[in-house]
Amino acid sequence: MKKSIFSLQIYFFISLFSYSQSTFTITTLGTTPTIDSAITYATDIWGGHLLSNIPIKLNVIYTNLTGAGPLGITFPNGRKDFTSAPQASTWYASCLANAISNTELNIGEVDMDIYMNSANNYYFGLDANPGNNQYDFVSVLLHEIAHGLGMISSSSVNSNEGSFGLIDSTSFAPLYPTFPFPSLDELPTALDRLIINGSMQVITDTNIFANISLALKNQFESNDLFFNGFHSTLANNGNLVKVYAPSTFESGSSINHIDESSFPVSSGNSMITPFISNGEANHQVGDILLGLLNDIGWNIYPLTDVSQNNNFQNLSIYPNPSNGKFNLDFNQELDDLKVNVYDITGKKVFSKNYNNTSNIGIDLFNRNKGVYIIEIISKDIEIRRLLCLE
């Protein structure tokens, strides 16, 4: 049986060299030592991918959620308009806001409450080998944690209107988060800010789609929405990542996931699709999900080479890391070469064309410290590599 994970989400690049791999502080209710072991295993997987000096505070409640309905329900904490927030008037998961600001902004509050439904037949093993009639607990928890990390939309539909930031606590009674439920102030999340439609229109642009409108509802139910993130697009072989936006809005599923049919289990990127089957297991986060998290502000570890042409082995970039000047040595002459450099948000910060060259220099002395992506294009090659500016 294929079941919606049905996360009832509510609301929810900084220098690589000053950040450590994330750790989790875990509290639980209703679990057993076996379940606790599975929780620790899942957080270790996530901790191996995220960079933050502030521990991520996870609270897991294992309880019967009115029969064998949803597998898990996630309440992510959130913050907006904090110092160093990448975008104003935008909700960020609190653990992401903490990582960006390098400060614990929600002292005394957890970053996410995750309710795991004890009415379902869960497999608690760590070997990704559930029975045909079991749901893999680790897979579901990894998915739910992703929502708590910021894979979350504030979208909702009421009657004939779609909106951002109108969800309130009455929608989820008798379940409530352990932290104070905020007023979302009719604002989108960082993930919402990435979404465009097939006509390349930004759906959070209120000059195009007024908040609380039929026009926005039609977008939510268009099956024609995409995440326009730089890193997720790279991870999807240069293609925009399709958003799960079925013709009838599904609260907690629509807009909060990537498209189920576009990313099956075989793609290796199904962790953040909205459904999971009995006997299905996925303990690999997947490059697209990591790319999306990178796009909303997370520093991801390890930062790997993102070359698009691995057959070209002659390129040397040095020094890397650098304090501003990078040398590119191709060990052969290349014609009509274009070089672009993007910051971690995908903003182009350098662009220049070169003719008949084998060695060039890139000057980033006036840029902030951190990680950049250099794109090198000619008729013969297309390469993307990482630059680290100290």
Side-chain angles (χ1 to χ4, degrees), residues 333-379:
E333 288 230 347
L334 294 172
D335 295 327
D336 300 323
L337 190 70
K338 184 169 186 175
V339 176
N340 300 314
V341 179
Y342 303 87
D343 67 16
I344 206 70
T345 70
K347 178 182 178 182
K348 187 183 292 186
V349 298
F350 178 94
S351 184
K352 191 171 182 179
N353 294 319
Y354 301 86
N355 290 316
N356 301 317
T357 185
S358 62
N359 186 284
I360 58 177
I362 303 297
D363 184 354
L364 297 181
F365 280 111
N366 61 336
R367 297 294 167 185
N368 293 329
K369 295 178 181 180
V371 179
Y372 293 80
I373 294 178
I374 185 168
E375 177 183 60
I376 305 159
I377 302 173
S378 77
K379 66 180 181 180

Side-chain angles (χ1 to χ4, degrees), residues 32-233:
T32 66
T34 299
I35 298 173
D36 290 342
S37 178
I39 294 170
T40 299
Y41 179 77
T43 57
D44 285 347
I45 290 174
W46 272 118
H49 290 293
L50 306 172
L51 292 173
S52 177
N53 291 331
I54 312 300
I56 299 168
K57 296 169 288 184
L58 167 66
N59 184 39
V60 179
I61 304 100
Y62 186 67
T63 188
N64 190 317
L65 301 179
T66 319
L71 295 173
I73 297 175
T74 297
F75 291 83
N77 205 340
R79 291 293 184 270
K80 65 179 177 68
D81 296 325
F82 52 93
T83 302
S84 70
Q87 298 184 86
S89 301
T90 302
W91 285 103
Y92 291 81
S94 60
C95 52
L96 173 55
N98 291 343
I100 291 171
S101 63
N102 202 27
T103 303
E104 187 177 5
L105 302 174
N106 60 327
I107 295 173
E109 302 172 5
V110 300
D111 292 309
M112 63 190 85
D113 289 309
I114 297 179
Y115 287 83
M116 297 294 285
N117 191 356
S118 62
N120 288 288
N121 184 18
Y122 273 123
Y123 174 71
F124 298 106
L126 310 182
D127 58 358
N129 190 32
N132 291 333
N133 65 340
Q134 294 177 305
Y135 293 104
D136 187 63
F137 183 89
V138 169
S139 298
V140 176
L141 185 59
L142 287 167
H143 173 109
E144 296 299 330
I145 291 173
H147 289 305
L149 296 172
M151 287 297 301
I152 187 70
S153 172
S154 70
S155 59
S156 62
V157 166
N158 183 15
S159 185
N160 283 322
E161 294 177 329
S163 63
F164 290 111
L166 281 187
I167 302 170
D168 61 37
S169 60
T170 62
S171 303
F172 310 103
L175 297 179
Y176 292 93
T178 61
F179 46 85
F181 197 96
S183 170
L184 298 184
D185 300 328
E186 300 181 12
L187 296 177
T189 68
L191 187 69
D192 292 325
R193 294 288 190 193
L194 294 177
I195 301 174
I196 63 172
N197 62 20
S199 299
M200 306 298 287
Q201 295 171 310
V202 179
I203 68 168
T204 57
D205 186 344
T206 54
N207 293 316
I208 304 174
F209 305 108
N211 198 14
I212 318 175
S213 67
L214 175 61
L216 197 53
K217 175 181 182 291
N218 290 339
Q219 291 298 308
F220 292 164
E221 299 179 336
S222 67
N223 197 30
D224 189 37
L225 298 180
F226 303 86
F227 291 115
N228 186 30
F230 182 79
H231 301 92
S232 53
T233 300

Side-chain angles (χ1 to χ4, degrees), residues 7-51:
S7 305
L8 289 176
Q9 307 88 5
I10 299 174
Y11 63 108
F12 345 71
F13 276 71
I14 307 173
S15 175
L16 169 67
F17 307 105
S18 61
Y19 278 76
S20 58
Q21 286 181 258
S22 296
T23 59
F24 281 75
T25 301
I26 303 168
T27 54
T28 62
L29 180 66
T31 62
T32 66
T34 299
I35 298 173
D36 290 342
S37 178
I39 294 170
T40 299
Y41 179 77
T43 57
D44 285 347
I45 290 174
W46 272 118
H49 290 293
L50 306 172
L51 292 173

Side-chain angles (χ1 to χ4, degrees), residues 192-334:
D192 292 325
R193 294 288 190 193
L194 294 177
I195 301 174
I196 63 172
N197 62 20
S199 299
M200 306 298 287
Q201 295 171 310
V202 179
I203 68 168
T204 57
D205 186 344
T206 54
N207 293 316
I208 304 174
F209 305 108
N211 198 14
I212 318 175
S213 67
L214 175 61
L216 197 53
K217 175 181 182 291
N218 290 339
Q219 291 298 308
F220 292 164
E221 299 179 336
S222 67
N223 197 30
D224 189 37
L225 298 180
F226 303 86
F227 291 115
N228 186 30
F230 182 79
H231 301 92
S232 53
T233 300
L234 282 180
N236 196 33
N237 299 314
N239 301 305
L240 296 176
V241 176
K242 191 171 184 181
V243 177
Y244 182 67
S247 57
T248 300
F249 187 85
E250 299 173 6
S251 179
S253 292
S254 291
I255 318 302
N256 290 278
H257 301 90
I258 64 176
D259 187 62
E260 180 79 18
S261 60
S262 301
F263 301 99
V265 176
S266 59
S267 71
N269 286 293
S270 65
M271 182 174 288
I272 201 60
T273 59
F275 303 101
I276 190 170
S277 298
N278 285 302
E280 179 183 326
N282 182 7
H283 295 184
Q284 300 297 317
V285 173
D287 291 341
I288 288 176
L289 176 51
L290 289 174
L292 285 167
L293 291 171
N294 205 168
D295 289 330
I296 64 173
W298 278 104
N299 279 315
I300 302 299
Y301 178 88
L303 288 167
T304 55
D305 190 313
V306 289
S307 294
Q308 298 298 295
N309 185 341
N310 289 322
N311 294 322
F312 189 84
Q313 301 295 330
N314 294 329
L315 173 62
S316 299
I317 301 177
Y318 59 91
N320 191 16
S322 165
N323 63 359
K325 179 67 178 292
F326 297 88
N327 296 304
L328 280 65
D329 190 347
F330 299 97
N331 296 310
Q332 67 182 68
E333 288 230 347
L334 294 172

